[in-house]
Amino acid sequence: MIHMVTYINKSQEKEDITLRSKQEIADEIFLLISRDMKDEAK
Amino acid sequence: MIQNKNILLGVSGGIAAYKACALTSKLTQQGADVKVIMTENAAKFVSPLTFQALSRNPVHIDTFDEKDPSKVAHIDLADWADMTILAPATANLIGKLAGGIADDMLSTVLLATQSSVYIAPAMNVHMYAHPAVMENMKQLDSWGYHFIEPGAGYLACGYVGKGRLEEPETIIEVVDQHQDRNALFSGKKVLISAGPTQEQVDPVRFFTNRSSGKMGFALAERAAELGAEVTLVAGPVSLEIKNQQIKRIDVVTAKDMYEAMHEHFPANDIVIKAAAVADYRPKQIHEEKMKKQSDDWHVEMERTQDILQSLGDIKEHQFLAGFAAETTDPVEYGIAKLQKEKPGMPSLLINVAAEGWICR
């Protein structure tokens, strides 16, 4: 089953990711979180 | 993240072995110390001397080629590596690793190393799609090996399809990103909620929702893989945690989840609220089962506490992320929620299943 994750961060940037599994979504979410955490640290 | 790292490059016997030369060169240029292990078949495609010249290190092929009597070569190499990259990884090498077979230098080192292992497969399109190869890759994935999926295109065997070794630049980018994330999450404390809640109305009935908990459990497993110390607060689900390092706290109601999340929130660095917590619960819980009657039964509901909102209100150093499951206008709704309700929340994650329901 294909799931879509729409991610919105503080600056309201939107990103649509179509992925195949919960594991891949989890991986992508941590990539997005790491990106946000780095932005916050700046 | 590649600079000053000790990288073992495992090269197995496929035509894509020639791309491993460029990979060796690029890794070395970026400041990594690269040691190459080749299978005997790989040496039929590319000369070991090429890798020796590019890496400026001896190339290893034979398990019993013990040049230094004070060391056991395959253990020494396994311990030396900060990370291991298999490129190209043939179906045979993937199968041997999944089966725990150690019958040459490369496969022996692979069983001995504690380093992160990145596998970049390359093979014929039908070989890649074979159930045996797929099962082996799934097995390795579940053990924490990282795959760099092959690209699609013209293959040396004449077929067009998936199976082409990813380009060296992309392999390095993927490894770099992964190492970067590992460094970021390693040692961090991560609190994740998952699953539904059950709100009892009498001893045999309750209100709940269709959340399976799979998303939250996948997040917990991934966070643990990234080196984080994970606490998972789970509603009633029939899922098991594979990684025994994850601390699991089982709860039933929205109130239980609120209390568990608040208890653990101060000690955590990253908090992801993936649970589908009930927004409403029955105002009255009947001690005895409500008897069936001829007319309608009206259940008065009251609001539960908004966990995400309350955590956002007390947030200090924590990175807080939440899910909002919407069936209509998810992006617009998410932006509005981010602006109005959650001033302390740095990010919001919205998931919508393509088929209309979340977390099935």
Side-chain angles (χ1 to χ4, degrees), chain A residues 33 37, chain B residues 185 188-191 268-272 318-319:
Chain A
I33 288 175
M37 284 176 73
Chain B
F185 292 109
K188 286 273 194 305
K189 292 188 172 178
V190 178
L191 176 64
N268 278 274
D269 305 302
I270 299 165
V271 179
I272 307 173
Q318 293 90 350
F319 184 94

Side-chain angles (χ1 to χ4, degrees), chain B residues 90-167:
Chain B
T90 58
N92 186 53
L93 181 64
I94 290 168
K96 282 206 283 189
L97 187 54
I101 295 169
D103 63 354
D104 63 5
M105 186 59 155
L106 181 53
S107 53
T108 307
V109 169
L110 285 173
L111 291 195
T113 190
Q114 296 290 300
S115 68
S116 297
V117 179
Y118 300 89
I119 304 174
M123 63 195 78
N124 165 270
V125 61
H126 299 311
M127 290 172 75
Y128 187 72
H130 193 283
V133 176
M134 285 288 157
E135 283 303 312
N136 287 335
M137 289 197 293
K138 266 189 213 166
Q139 180 62 68
L140 292 172
D141 182 64
S142 74
W143 289 341
Y145 289 87
H146 312 287
F147 279 88
I148 301 164
E149 282 200 24
Y154 179 79
L155 304 175
C157 55
Y159 280 94
V160 176
K162 197 169 181 178
R164 192 171 64 182
L165 179 68
E166 196 47 276
E167 295 304 320

